[in-house]
C-alpha cells in the first residue's frame, strides 16, 4: 500500500495534468450543441459552392416563419368569437322602457303622437336583436360571432350586428328620423340611457379553445422530399424552393433529437476531437516549452483561458449568433504572449479557433477571420506595458477584421448594396473589449501568481521600496546592480532574450547583501575589511549566504518566482575561489564543496546571461590600466571558465549566442572605462 502511495506521490504532477486534460475535455464537450450539425454553409441568392447534394433521408419541406405567421393571422381572423347571452334582460328592459316612457312624456304629447311609444319599442327590438355588448371589443366588423345561451347555441352572426354599449344612439335617432319625430331625440336618448343594459359577455375560454384548435390544424410543412432526391447541384443559385428545401434539411439536422443509440457515439466523437486538440497543446508544451509543461499552475492557466473563450462564445451564440464577433477572442493570444511567448500564444489561439468551428455559424469565414486576427495580434503587440502600443495594436486588429469581412462579403454577395454597417460596429465593440486585457492581466497575476511585462516594468523602477533600501544600506551593491542590469539588457537584446525580465532580475539579484553590506568590497568605503577578523571558512559562508538571504528577502517582499530565480542562479554552483585558495594554503584536505554556492545552475537563457554579466562586471573592478586587449582577454577568460565549469549546461543558450554576448560585454566595458586611442608623444 505504501509503495502505491509513494508511486502516486512521485507522479502527482502527471496525474494532475491527466485530470486537467479530462475535465477540460468534458467541459468543452458539455458546452457543444447536443444536436446534429449541417455540414454545408449557404446563403440565399448565392451559388451553391459544394458538391451535388442528394437528400440523405426522407424529410418534409418546412414552411418559413413568415408563412406560418401569415397563416396564423388568417386563421385567427376566421376563428369565431363566443359571447354568453342573457335572454332575460331584453324583457326587463322593455318593461322598464314602458314605465320610463310614461314618466318622460306628457299625456298631451303621447295623444298627439300615438306612434311614439312603438317607435322606441321597435328601436329596442332592433338593439336587442342580437344583444348589447358589456364593453368595447376590438374585433373586425366581419368577425364571426356565436352567441351561447347556457350550453346551447343561440345565434350566429357577424360582430357588426352586435350593439356597443353606447351604440344605441344612432339606432334611435335613425328610427325617429324615419317617422319625422326628430324633436324627441334628446328625450329618447335619456330614456334609453336609463333602461338599456348589456346582455352579451365574452366567453374567453371558449373563444381561446376554438382558436387553439384551429391553430393546431395549421401544418408546419408544405411538401415532402424522399431520400436520394436531388436537392441542388454545384453552381446553382440558392433561392426559391431550393432555399426552402435546404433550410428544411438544415433544420432537420439541427433539431434532430439524439436517441440513446447514437447519443453516446456522437458525444464520444466530439470528445475525441476535443481531446486530440488539447493533446496537441500538451505535446507542444512538452517538446518546446518544457518549463511551462512542468509547471501545473501555468498549464492550468492556459487551459482555463481556452475554456473561458469557448464559454463566452457559446453564451453569445445561444443568445444571438449575429453577435459572435463581439467576443474578444484576440485576448487569448495577448494574455499568453504577455505571460509566456508569441509562439505559444498563437498555437493556443489556433487550437481554440478550431474548436469553436464546431459551434459557430459560417465556420470557415469565422476561422479565417479569427486566425488572421490572431496572427496580427502576435505580430503587432510588443511591449504590452506601453498603453499606446496596445491601442495601436487593437486598432490594427479591428481594421483587419473589417477588411477581411468586407472581402468575404463581396465574394459571397457580388456587390456591397446589402452590406450592413452594423456588422462593422460589432468589430469595433470587439476591439474595445480587447482593451480589457490590461486589467485582466493584473487579475491573472494575482490569481495564478504569474508575472507579465507590466509587473516587470513596475519592479524595474529604482524608486521601489526594496531598491531604495538597497541603495541606502549597500550603495556599492546598488551601483553594481545597475551596471549589471545595463550589461544584461544589452546582451539580451543582442540574442533575442527577454530584456525586461533580465533587467529586473539584475536589479534584485544581490539584495541579499543588504544583510551584511560591509562584507562585500563594493560597500567598503572606509578601507576596513571585516574579513580580516574571520577565518576563510567563515568569510566564504558570509559571501555564499547572500544568495539565501536574498531569496528570503525577496519572498518577504513578494517578488515573483521568475525574479527570485535570478537570485538563486546568478552564482550557480561556482566557487568562492579567493577564500578557498586561502584555506587550501593552510589545509591541503580542504574540500571544494565547502566553498561552492548551493546553486542551482542557470536554467534559462536569461539567468545564464545574468551570470556572465555579473561575474564580468564585478571582476572588472580589479582591472588596472585597462586596454582593449586586456578587456578582451579578461571577458574571454571569465566566461570560458564558467563554461568549463559546466555552469550553462542546463540553460538553453548556444555557443553562437555566448559569442555575441562576449562581444557586447567587451564593447560595453570599453565604453565604461572610456578607452581612447593612445596617441604617440
Amino acid at each position: 500500500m505504501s509503495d502505491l502511495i509513494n508511486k502516486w506521490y512521485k507522479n502527482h504532477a502527471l496525474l494532475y495534468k491527466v485530470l486537467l486534460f479530462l475535465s477540460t475535455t468534458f467541459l468543452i464537450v458539455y458546452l457543444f450543441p447536443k444536436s446534429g450539425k449541417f455540414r454545408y454553409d449557404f446563403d440565399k441568392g448565392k451559388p451553391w459552392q459544394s458538391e451535388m447534394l442528394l437528400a440523405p433521408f426522407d424529410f418534409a419541406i418546412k414552411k418559413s416563419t413568415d408563412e406560418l405567421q401569415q397563416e396564423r393571422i388568417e386563421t385567427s381572423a376566421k376563428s369565431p368569437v363566443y359571447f354568453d347571452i342573457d335572454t332575460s334582460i331584453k324583457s326587463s328592459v322593455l318593461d322598464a322602457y314602458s314605465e320610463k316612457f310614461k314618466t318622460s312624456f306628457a299625456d298631451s304629447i303621447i295623444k298627439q303622437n300615438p306612434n311614439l311609444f312603438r317607435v322606441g319599442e321597435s328601436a329596442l327590438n332592433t338593439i336587442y336583436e342580437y344583444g348589447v355588448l358589456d364593453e368595447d371589443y376590438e374585433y373586425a366588423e366581419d368577425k364571426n360571432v356565436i352567441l351561447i345561451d347556457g350550453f346551447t347555441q343561440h345565434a350566429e352572426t357577424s360582430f357588426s350586428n352586435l350593439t356597443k354599449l353606447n351604440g344605441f344612439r344612432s339606432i334611435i335617432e335613425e328610427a325617429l328620423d324615419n317617422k319625422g319625430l326628430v324633436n324627441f331625440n334628446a328625450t329618447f336618448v335619456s330614456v334609453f340611457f336609463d333602461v338599456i343594459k348589456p346582455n352579451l359577455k365574452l366567453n374567453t375560454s371558449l373563444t381561446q379553445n376554438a382558436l387553439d384548435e384551429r391553430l393546431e390544424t395549421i401544418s408546419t410543412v408544405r411538401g415532402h422530399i424522399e431520400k436520394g432526391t436531388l436537392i441542388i447541384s454545384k453552381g446553382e443559385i440558392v433561392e426559391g424552393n431550393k432555399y426552402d428545401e435546404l433550410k428544411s434539411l438544415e433544420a432537420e439536422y439541427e433539431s434532430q433529437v439524439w436517441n440513446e443509440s447514437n447519443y453516446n457515439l456522437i458525444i464520444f466523437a466530439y470528445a475525441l476531437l476535443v481531446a486530440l486538440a488539447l493533446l496537441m497543446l500538451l505535446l507542444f508544451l512538452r517538446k518546446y516549452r518544457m518549463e511551462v509543461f512542468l509547471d501545473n499552475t501555468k498549464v492550468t492557466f492556459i487551459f482555463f483561458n481556452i475554456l473561458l473563450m469557448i464559454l463566452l462564445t457559446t453564451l453569445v451564440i445561444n443568445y444571438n449568433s449575429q453577435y459572435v464577433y463581439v467576443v474578444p477572442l484576440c485576448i487569448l493570444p495577448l494574455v499568453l504572449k504577455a505571460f509566456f511567448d508569441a509562439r505559444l500564444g498563437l498555437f493556443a489561439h489556433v487550437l481554440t479557433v478550431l474548436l469553436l468551428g464546431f459551434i459557430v455559424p459560417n465556420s470557415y469565414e469565422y476561422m479565417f477571420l479569427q486566425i488572421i486576427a490572431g496572427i496580427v495580434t502576435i505580430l503587432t503587440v510588443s511591449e504590452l506595458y506601453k498603453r499606446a502600443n496596445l491601442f495601436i495594436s487593437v486598432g490594427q486588429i479591428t481594421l483587419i477584421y473589417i477588411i477581411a469581412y468586407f472581402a468575404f462579403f463581396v465574394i459571397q454577395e457580388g456587390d456591397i448594396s446589402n452590406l450592413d454597417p452594423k456588422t462593422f460596429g460589432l468589430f469595433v465593440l470587439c476591439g474595445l473589449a480587447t482593451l480589457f486585457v490590461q486589467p485582466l492581466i493584473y487579475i491573472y497575476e494575482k490569481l495564478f501568481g504569474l508575472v507579465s511585462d507590466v509587473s516587470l516594468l513596475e519592479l524595474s523602477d529604482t524608486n521601489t521600496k526594496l531598491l531604495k533600501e538597497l541603495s541606502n544600506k549597500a550603495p556599492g551593491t546598488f551601483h553594481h546592480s545597475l551596471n549589471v542590469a545595463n550589461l544584461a539588457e544589452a546582451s539580451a537584446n543582442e540574442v533575442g532574450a527577454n530584456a525586461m525580465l533580465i533587467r529586473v532580475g539584475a536589479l534584485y539579484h544581490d539584495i541579499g547583501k543588504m544583510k551584511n553590506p560591509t562584507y562585500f568590497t563594493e560597500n567598503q568605503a572606509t578601507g576596513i575589511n571585516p574579513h580580516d577578523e574571520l577565518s576563510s571558512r567563515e568569510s566564504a559562508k558570509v559571501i555564499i549566504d547572500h544568495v539565501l538571504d536574498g531569496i528570503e528577502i525577496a519572498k518577504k517582499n513578494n517578488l515573483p518566482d521568475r525574479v527570485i530565480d535570478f537570485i538563486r542562479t546568478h552564482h550557480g554552483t561556482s566557487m568562492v575561489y579567493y577564500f578557498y585558495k586561502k584555506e587550501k594554503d593552510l589545509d591541503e584536505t580542504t574540500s571544494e564543496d565547502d566553498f561552492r554556492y548551493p546553486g542551482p545552475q542557470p536554467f534559462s537563457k536569461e539567468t545564464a546571461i545574468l551570470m556572465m554579466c555579473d561575474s564580468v562586471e564585478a571582476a572588472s573592478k580589479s582591472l588596472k590600466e585597462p586596454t582593449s586587449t586586456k578587456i578582451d582577454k579578461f571577458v574571454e577568460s571569465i566566461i570560458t571558465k564558467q563554461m568549463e565549469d559546466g555552469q550553462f549546461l542546463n540553460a538553453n543558450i548556444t555557443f553562437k549566442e555566448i559569442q555575441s554576448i562576449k562581444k557586447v560585454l567587451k564593447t560595453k566595458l570599453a565604453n565604461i572605462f572610456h578607452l581612447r586611442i593612445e596617441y604617440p608623444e
Side-chain angles (χ1 to χ4, degrees):
M1 184 67 182
S2 60
D3 292 339
L4 181 62
I5 294 174
N6 290 333
K7 189 174 182 180
W8 276 71
Y9 179 77
K10 289 179 181 178
N11 296 287
H12 73 279
L14 182 60
L15 290 172
Y16 175 82
K17 290 184 180 69
V18 172
L19 290 175
L20 178 66
F21 172 80
L22 294 176
S23 59
T24 306
T25 301
F26 170 78
L27 289 172
I28 292 176
V29 173
Y30 177 77
L31 293 173
F32 281 177
K34 303 300 183 291
S35 62
K37 181 174 175 60
F38 196 49
R39 58 180 291 192
Y40 303 103
D41 290 326
F42 62 93
D43 292 292
K44 190 173 184 178
K46 300 174 185 175
W48 178 254
Q49 301 291 338
S50 305
E51 67 275 9
M52 180 176 63
L53 179 62
L54 301 178
F57 45 75
D58 295 344
F59 68 94
I61 302 174
K62 296 182 179 294
K63 296 177 182 177
S64 67
T65 304
D66 292 339
E67 286 179 311
L68 288 173
Q69 183 63 24
Q70 184 60 35
E71 285 195 36
R72 290 191 184 97
I73 293 173
E74 293 175 357
T75 301
S76 298
K78 295 177 181 178
S79 179
V81 179
Y82 289 84
F83 283 93
D84 291 319
I85 184 169
D86 187 348
T87 54
S88 64
I89 288 180
K90 179 179 179 181
S91 58
S92 64
V93 169
L94 290 173
D95 291 341
Y97 165 71
S98 179
E99 294 295 329
K100 190 69 175 175
F101 182 83
K102 294 175 183 178
T103 58
S104 299
F105 294 92
D107 292 338
S108 58
I109 295 176
I110 295 174
K111 289 179 180 180
Q112 291 177 5
N113 300 280
N115 295 326
L116 194 59
F117 178 82
R118 286 192 296 273
V119 171
E121 188 177 42
S122 176
L124 285 174
N125 286 325
T126 302
I127 291 171
Y128 281 96
E129 180 180 1
Y130 293 104
V132 178
L133 297 168
D134 60 339
E135 59 180 87
D136 290 337
Y137 295 96
E138 298 296 331
Y139 290 112
E141 293 295 316
D142 59 348
K143 184 74 171 175
N144 189 31
V145 173
I146 297 177
L147 305 181
I148 301 296
D149 183 8
F151 296 99
T152 60
Q153 180 173 323
H154 177 74
E156 183 174 354
T157 184
S158 62
F159 185 73
S160 60
N161 292 328
L162 304 184
T163 305
K164 295 182 180 179
L165 190 58
N166 296 324
F168 65 85
R169 184 191 294 269
S170 60
I171 296 175
I172 186 61
E173 288 177 350
E174 183 180 355
L176 292 172
D177 185 50
N178 291 337
K179 298 296 183 179
L181 301 172
V182 177
N183 295 334
F184 300 103
N185 276 349
T187 306
F188 268 103
V189 169
S190 177
V191 171
F192 278 29
F193 261 120
D194 292 336
V195 301
I196 287 180
K197 294 180 181 179
N199 66 336
L200 297 178
K201 183 177 182 180
L202 179 66
N203 191 317
T204 308
S205 60
L206 276 178
T207 302
Q208 188 61 44
N209 289 339
L211 177 59
D212 291 342
E213 288 179 4
R214 290 190 173 227
L215 290 176
E216 287 176 1
T217 62
I218 296 176
S219 175
T220 59
V221 300
R222 56 176 176 82
H224 188 79
I225 299 292
E226 293 184 357
K227 181 179 179 180
T229 303
L230 174 64
I231 297 177
I232 193 168
S233 300
K234 186 173 183 178
E236 280 192 75
I237 303 299
V238 180
E239 58 184 358
N241 290 334
K242 299 289 184 184
Y243 177 76
D244 294 338
E245 291 171 7
L246 288 171
K247 290 299 290 184
S248 299
L249 181 59
E250 181 183 42
E252 189 69 25
Y253 269 101
E254 295 180 353
S255 64
Q256 186 179 10
V257 179
W258 295 350
N259 55 47
E260 189 173 349
S261 62
N262 66 0
Y263 181 88
N264 294 330
L265 182 62
I266 296 175
I267 287 292
F268 177 71
Y270 264 138
L272 277 181
L273 293 174
V274 174
L276 188 62
L278 296 179
L279 181 62
M280 294 302 103
L281 179 58
L282 286 175
L283 292 177
F284 173 85
L285 293 176
R286 191 175 186 279
K287 185 171 181 62
Y288 298 106
R289 300 293 182 273
M290 180 59 76
E291 72 281 1
V292 177
F293 180 79
L294 295 176
D295 192 327
N296 282 340
T297 301
K298 293 178 179 178
V299 177
T300 303
F301 173 75
I302 295 170
F303 276 57
F304 171 78
N305 277 276
I306 292 174
L307 183 61
L308 179 63
M309 290 296 108
I310 294 175
L311 174 62
L312 288 176
T313 306
T314 305
L315 291 175
V316 170
I317 289 175
N318 289 339
Y319 173 71
N320 190 334
S321 61
Q322 293 181 349
Y323 300 128
V324 67
Y325 287 112
V326 173
V327 179
L329 204 62
C330 288
I331 281 182
L332 179 62
L334 275 174
V335 167
L336 295 184
K337 183 180 180 182
F339 289 113
F340 305 109
D341 60 85
R343 189 177 178 186
L344 174 56
L346 183 60
F347 192 86
H349 177 73
V350 171
L351 286 181
T352 305
V353 172
L354 291 177
L355 291 175
L356 289 174
F358 288 117
I359 59 176
V360 297
N362 297 322
S363 56
Y364 177 76
E365 174 188 308
Y366 177 86
M367 291 165 62
F368 183 90
L369 262 65
Q370 295 293 5
I371 290 175
I372 290 295
I375 293 172
V376 171
T377 301
I378 293 298
L379 294 178
T380 58
V381 176
S382 59
E383 299 178 324
L384 190 61
Y385 55 86
K386 294 182 180 179
R387 290 172 296 180
N389 288 355
L390 179 60
F391 278 98
I392 293 171
S393 179
V394 167
Q396 292 172 332
I397 294 168
T398 305
L399 182 61
I400 290 298
Y401 269 131
I402 292 173
I403 292 174
Y405 178 81
F406 176 81
F408 263 104
F409 187 87
V410 171
I411 291 172
Q412 294 172 351
E413 295 288 341
D415 59 48
I416 60 173
S417 59
N418 296 324
L419 186 62
D420 188 359
K422 292 181 180 178
T423 307
F424 297 148
L426 298 180
F427 294 128
V428 174
L429 288 176
C430 177
L432 294 175
T434 306
L435 294 175
F436 183 69
V437 69
Q438 281 283 19
L440 188 63
I441 287 174
Y442 176 79
I443 294 171
Y444 280 154
E445 287 177 338
K446 301 305 178 186
L447 288 177
F448 293 91
L450 301 173
V451 183
S452 69
D453 286 350
V454 180
S455 293
L456 292 176
L457 179 65
E458 294 174 356
L459 291 171
S460 67
D461 184 3
T462 55
N463 288 316
T464 59
K465 180 182 177 181
L466 195 54
L467 290 181
K468 285 184 74 69
E469 186 180 357
L470 177 64
S471 66
N472 291 329
K473 291 184 177 180
T477 299
F478 178 72
H479 182 70
H480 158 73
S481 298
L482 286 176
N483 288 336
V484 173
N486 292 331
L487 292 174
E489 185 176 15
S491 301
N493 287 326
E494 183 69 21
V495 297
N498 190 332
M500 178 62 71
L501 176 62
I502 199 171
R503 180 173 184 82
V504 173
L507 288 173
Y508 291 90
H509 79 283
D510 270 344
I511 56 174
K513 293 181 179 180
M514 287 193 293
K515 192 169 183 178
N516 297 298
T518 56
Y519 285 85
F520 301 90
T521 56
E522 66 266 22
N523 299 312
Q524 296 171 359
T526 60
I528 299 174
N529 190 349
H531 289 287
D532 295 340
E533 301 177 2
L534 301 176
S535 67
S536 297
R537 288 183 180 274
E538 291 173 329
S539 295
K541 186 177 185 308
V542 172
I543 299 298
I544 291 171
D545 281 350
H546 89 273
V547 173
L548 300 177
D549 293 336
I551 295 171
E552 183 180 351
I553 294 170
K555 289 185 175 180
K556 284 183 179 179
N557 287 270
N558 297 317
L559 288 184
D561 288 340
R562 291 179 74 187
V563 177
I564 296 177
D565 288 340
F566 287 93
I567 302 175
R568 289 192 180 100
T569 61
H570 74 278
H571 284 295
T573 56
S574 61
M575 188 167 55
V576 186
Y577 188 77
Y578 174 82
F579 292 109
Y580 167 73
K581 186 67 176 174
K582 190 176 179 181
E583 184 69 15
K584 186 79 171 176
D585 292 340
L586 298 175
D587 183 4
E588 287 292 334
T589 62
T590 300
S591 172
E592 291 185 2
D593 294 338
D594 296 334
F595 292 85
R596 284 192 180 274
Y597 285 95
Q601 294 176 341
F603 48 79
S604 67
K605 188 181 297 184
E606 287 77 14
T607 51
I609 292 172
L610 177 65
M611 186 179 195
M612 294 184 229
C613 296
D614 180 45
S615 300
V616 168
E617 203 285 332
S620 67
K621 299 296 189 293
S622 63
L623 280 175
K624 297 178 180 178
E625 298 181 359
T627 63
S628 297
T629 304
K630 282 185 179 180
I631 290 175
D632 289 354
K633 291 181 179 179
F634 166 76
V635 172
E636 289 286 347
S637 64
I638 289 178
I639 296 180
T640 300
K641 184 179 179 182
Q642 290 175 335
M643 294 173 63
E644 291 174 351
D645 202 22
Q647 296 299 325
F648 306 137
L649 291 178
N650 297 328
N652 58 335
I653 191 167
T654 64
F655 284 111
K656 182 178 180 180
E657 288 171 335
I658 292 175
Q659 288 301 118
S660 299
I661 293 168
K662 287 180 182 178
K663 185 177 179 181
V664 171
L665 293 176
K666 292 172 185 177
T667 303
K668 288 290 182 180
L669 286 178
N671 292 334
I672 290 172
F673 288 111
H674 306 290
L675 297 182
R676 297 288 187 270
I677 297 174
E678 296 183 10
Y679 294 98
E681 296 182 1

